[in-house]
């Protein structure tokens, strides 16, 4: 049932504790998560998170406590999140890419009181990063931690939160503290659960309300410092139930996703969406393309979703041609989809707009077929429960069909707000969230992206949309370009383009400008065009283009 309010009277459990109990009773031994060899069933998720929740209660954690989670995708993250949610605590997923300095900022700004962390993952040593983030840890002998640099943080536990999973291992005091036996290890936390009766744990679960805070997810910080976005139990669960109906995610489906759980796409669209659907979520930490393909063949996902760039190398693996990926029927990771469901022209398929502030996807369409040419690049219509309008960013005046302006959003499934910030920093007086994204809407109500408001290039008094120029280069030369503005003493900014040139091809910048002159006004044509290889494109850990590094690359090439 699609509903536009949180409480719709349909019996949907609107808190994570109630939802988990219901799904564990229904699906029990079925897998909720498979991450390489790490398997977590619904029954295991219920049992292990209940045990950890009792340990958290023994510490004095409860409703409103901020519990940091520094775990890669896997059962450890899932168990930690569910345990915190069961007692009304607020989970704060932390990026596993974080440096010590970044962790220091996140731990302090998010008011984390209890931190649960893996020892390491791949090349990241989280113990070393935590000692860098909280210097007092090196001298601490036993919790609770009393650190001037981190006045809210009281407990740090390192080690595995489940029987198996990446980032496991049994932490010891020497890992983070100054030496107090196993005081800083996860097993110590789990053992303390014996101090709390089942009746107390169940009472804590029953006290959780749909309006209570569930999670603080930080934005990726690609255009500004990360902001902690607050989402509540009921609003996020209802929103994902709606999205599941639109994408037809049922308990018969297996979803493969490469989105990190610490960002909203992985946390909500993949993880919470799977729990709501009763489906199975598959992920992989395999270091090689062949290893990821092994997981895909073995687990046979029916849906694939996440970052396209992260699977772009899979078709180049020598074994790809003989792989059986025929189970995949839907999704946006076109590179690994079978030919009979892969679009010939992805630009004619609806895209989706997702934001941390909107609890994942907010513009979407249930139509997965090819669209007419005039709707190329459409992001669909507002998801159920969302109002959307395109306005003049200067005065908030609603714009008409075909006019480019800022996208504003409003509705019950939006974030509660930003942690530590005033409400007016998230919403205007009428409850609208100003996205900063430039969109245009057509006569049928379909929205199309035109760029970030801050990305608009102002050259000689005229505004240029990077997306428009990138599209023109794609159309005339069949090449992918990344367009930005560079400072210029005479014009304010000039239009510059880094154009990806595959092996075996060459690029004549002057010739490309002549081609573009047939499509674009003169002021929109890039004055600087730099050919680059795919592996030269600067990216952030999220997979997004590092715009600052791209601008420096283009500036240096001049």
């Amino acid at each position: 049932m699609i509903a536009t309010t949180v409480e719709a009277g349909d019996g949907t459990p609107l808190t994570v504790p109630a939802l988990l109990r219901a799904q564990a009773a229904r699906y029990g031994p079925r897998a909720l998560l498979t991450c390489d060899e790490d398997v977590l069933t619904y029954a295991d998720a219920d049992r292990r998170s209940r045990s950890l929740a009792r340990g958290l209660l023994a510490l004095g954690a409860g409703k409103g406590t901020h519990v940091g989670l520094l775990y890669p995708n896997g059962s450890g993250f899932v168990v930690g999140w569910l345990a915190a949610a069961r007692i009304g605590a607020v989970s704060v997923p932390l990026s596993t890419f974080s440096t010590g300095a970044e962790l220091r900022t996140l731990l302090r700004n998010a008011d984390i009181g209890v931190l649960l962390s893996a020892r390491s993952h791949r090349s990241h040593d989280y113990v070393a990063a935590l000692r860098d983030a909280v210097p007092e840890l090196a001298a601490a002998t036993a919790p609770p931690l009393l650190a001037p640099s981190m006045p809210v943080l009281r407990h740090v536990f390192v080690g595995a939160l489940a029987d198996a999973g990446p980032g496991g291992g049994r932490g010891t005091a020497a890992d983070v503290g100054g030496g107090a036996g196993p005081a800083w290890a996860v097993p110590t936390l789990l053992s303390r659960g014996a101090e709390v009766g089942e009746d107390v744990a169940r009472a804590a679960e029953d006290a959780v309300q749909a309006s209570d805070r569930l999670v603080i997810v930080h934005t990726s910080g690609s255009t500004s410092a990360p902001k902690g976005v607050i989402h509540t139990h009921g609003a996020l669960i209802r929103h994902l139930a709606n999205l599941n109906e639109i994408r037809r995610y049922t308990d018969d489906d297996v979803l493969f996703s490469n989105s990190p759980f610490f960002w909203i796409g992985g946390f909500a669209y993949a993880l919470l969406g799977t729990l709501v659907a009763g489906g199975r979520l598959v992920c992989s930490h395999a270091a090689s393309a062949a290893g990821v393909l092994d997981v895909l063949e073995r687990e046979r996902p029916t849906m694939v979703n996440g970052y396209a760039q992260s699977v772009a190398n899979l078709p180049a693996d020598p074994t790809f041609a003989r792989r059986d990926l025929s189970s995949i029927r839907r999704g946006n990771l076109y590179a690994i989809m079978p030919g009979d469901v892969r679009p010939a022209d992805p630009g004619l398929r609806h895209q989706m707009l997702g934001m941390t502030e909107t609890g994942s996807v907010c513009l979407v369409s249930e139509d997965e077929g090819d669209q007419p040419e005039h709707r190329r690049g459409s992001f669909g219509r507002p998801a159920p429960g969302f109002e959307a309008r395109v306005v003049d960013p200067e005065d908030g005046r609603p714009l008409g069909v075909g006019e480019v302006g800022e996208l504003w959003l409003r509705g019950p499934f939006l974030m509660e707000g930003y942690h530590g910030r005033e409400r007016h920093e998230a919403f205007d007086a009428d409850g609208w969230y100003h996205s900063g994204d430039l969109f245009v809407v057509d006569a049928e109500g379909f929205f199309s992206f035109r760029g970030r408001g801050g990305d608009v290039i102002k050259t000689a008094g005229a505004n240029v949309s990077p997306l428009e120029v990138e599209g023109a280069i794609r159309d005339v030369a069949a090449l992918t370009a990344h367009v930005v503005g560079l400072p210029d003493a005479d014009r304010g900014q000039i239009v510059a383009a880094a154009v990806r040139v595959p092996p075996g091809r060459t690029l004549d910048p002057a010739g490309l400008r002549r081609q573009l002159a047939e499509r674009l006004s003169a002021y929109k044509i890039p004055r600087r065009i730099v050919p680059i290889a795919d592996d030269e494109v600067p990216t952030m850990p999220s997979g997004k283009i590092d715009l600052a590094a791209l601008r420096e690359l283009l500036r240096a090439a001049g």
Side-chain angles (χ1 to χ4, degrees):
M1 170 183 172
I2 288 182
T4 57
T5 58
V6 174
E7 178 54 71
D10 62 350
T12 298
L14 293 176
T15 68
V16 167
L19 177 64
L20 175 61
R21 291 198 305 266
Q23 301 299 61
R26 184 173 183 181
Y27 299 111
R30 290 178 53 178
L32 165 64
L33 174 75
T34 301
C35 195
D36 299 312
E37 305 306 317
D38 176 16
V39 179
L40 183 71
T41 68
Y42 281 85
D44 286 341
D46 181 38
R47 173 178 58 83
R48 295 177 187 172
S49 64
R50 185 188 313 116
S51 176
L52 181 60
R54 291 170 67 181
L56 291 171
L57 286 169
L59 296 181
K63 184 177 284 195
T65 301
H66 290 192
V67 177
L69 299 173
L70 184 55
Y71 283 87
N73 287 14
S75 58
F77 183 101
V78 178
V79 169
W81 161 55
L82 292 173
R86 294 183 85 134
I87 64 172
V90 183
S91 295
V92 186
L94 301 173
S95 170
T96 56
F97 301 127
S98 298
T99 64
E102 290 168 332
L103 281 175
R104 184 183 309 119
T105 299
L106 291 169
L107 289 168
R108 188 179 179 98
N109 290 354
D111 294 321
I112 290 173
V114 179
L115 175 64
L116 308 176
S117 175
R119 284 178 52 86
S120 62
H121 177 59
R122 292 181 172 167
S123 62
H124 298 278
D125 182 342
Y126 300 128
V127 171
L130 286 171
R131 284 181 164 179
D132 184 26
V134 190
E136 294 92 339
L137 275 172
T141 56
L145 177 71
L146 298 172
S149 71
M150 208 65 60
V152 177
L153 184 63
R154 290 291 178 270
H155 296 276
V156 177
F157 294 98
V158 174
L161 289 179
D163 296 342
R170 304 179 70 84
T172 66
D175 288 334
V176 289
W184 304 95
V186 164
T188 298
L189 172 60
L190 293 171
S191 68
R192 292 204 57 182
E195 303 170 20
V196 177
E198 285 286 356
D199 57 338
V200 175
R202 181 56 187 258
E205 293 185 18
D206 291 343
V208 179
Q209 303 295 315
S211 58
D212 288 339
R213 294 177 173 182
L214 169 65
V215 67
I216 296 175
V217 182
H218 285 85
T219 58
S220 61
S222 60
T223 57
S224 62
K227 298 184 288 288
V229 178
I230 305 165
H231 287 287
T232 60
H233 284 251
L236 203 55
I237 289 173
R238 176 64 70 186
H239 182 37
L240 267 297
N242 287 343
L243 293 177
N244 282 353
E245 288 211 28
I246 291 170
R247 61 176 167 166
R248 306 192 306 281
Y249 190 8
T250 72
D251 57 6
D252 290 326
D253 282 304
V254 179
L255 170 64
F256 172 80
S257 177
N258 55 15
S259 300
F261 291 168
F262 52 76
W263 283 327
I264 198 67
F267 180 83
Y269 202 62
L271 179 54
L272 180 57
T274 296
L275 182 63
V276 171
R280 175 158 58 95
L281 179 60
V282 174
C283 59
S284 177
H285 295 290
S288 67
V292 177
L293 291 168
D294 287 342
V295 172
L296 289 168
E297 274 199 301
R298 184 186 71 216
E299 301 302 330
R300 299 194 60 77
T302 58
M303 305 167 63
V304 290
N305 180 261
Y307 295 112
Q309 187 177 14
S310 296
V311 298
N313 66 319
L314 297 187
D317 185 82
T319 68
F320 184 79
R322 62 173 173 78
R323 299 288 189 161
D324 179 7
L325 304 180
S326 60
S327 62
I328 301 173
R329 311 311 298 167
R330 303 195 301 279
N332 71 338
L333 302 181
Y334 298 135
I336 59 174
M337 293 174 67
D340 61 331
V341 294
R342 184 191 312 131
D345 185 349
L348 293 180
R349 295 290 176 89
H350 285 297
Q351 301 179 59
M352 298 181 296
L353 178 68
M355 304 179 190
T356 309
E357 289 85 351
T358 61
S360 77
V361 175
C362 58
L363 294 180
V364 66
S365 175
E366 62 185 9
D367 182 353
E368 296 179 347
D370 289 346
Q371 301 303 301
E373 181 62 37
H374 72 269
R375 203 175 293 151
R376 176 183 289 275
S378 163
F379 278 66
R381 296 184 172 109
F386 284 86
E387 295 177 72
R389 61 170 52 164
V390 175
V391 307
D392 186 313
E394 298 297 328
D395 58 17
R397 173 178 54 87
L399 299 177
V401 169
E403 294 185 277
V404 177
E406 184 182 9
L407 178 69
W408 288 9
L409 297 156
R410 185 169 66 179
F413 307 141
L414 272 164
M415 63 175 172
E416 180 182 288
Y418 295 121
H419 177 66
R421 302 194 183 195
E422 298 294 332
R423 180 173 173 80
H424 68 80
E425 297 184 67
F427 306 103
D428 66 20
D430 295 318
W432 289 99
Y433 166 65
H434 301 191
S435 73
D437 289 322
L438 298 179
F439 270 80
V440 63
V441 62
D442 68 16
E444 298 171 286
F446 289 93
F447 287 73
S448 295
F449 183 64
R450 289 293 182 266
R452 288 284 301 174
D455 293 343
V456 171
I457 301 166
K458 298 181 182 297
T459 179
N463 292 339
V464 177
S465 165
L467 201 65
E468 181 184 9
V469 181
E470 291 168 358
I473 294 173
R474 181 186 63 243
D475 290 345
V476 304
L479 293 171
T480 298
H482 306 288
V483 175
V484 297
L486 297 180
D488 181 77
D490 297 326
R491 306 176 67 86
Q493 287 182 302
I494 61 169
V495 180
V499 182
R500 298 192 189 199
V501 181
R505 284 197 62 176
T506 59
L507 177 66
D508 173 20
L512 178 57
R513 289 191 188 94
R514 287 193 295 271
Q515 290 178 289
L516 292 173
E518 300 176 6
R519 296 283 303 270
L520 299 173
S521 300
Y523 67 88
K524 298 179 181 179
I525 297 173
R527 289 176 170 253
R528 184 170 301 171
I529 296 176
V530 178
I532 58 173
D534 283 343
D535 59 4
E536 294 177 318
V537 179
T539 59
M540 305 179 71
S542 63
K544 296 179 180 179
I545 303 299
D546 187 334
L547 294 177
L550 180 67
R551 289 189 180 94
E552 178 56 27
L553 183 155
L554 287 165
R555 186 200 63 77

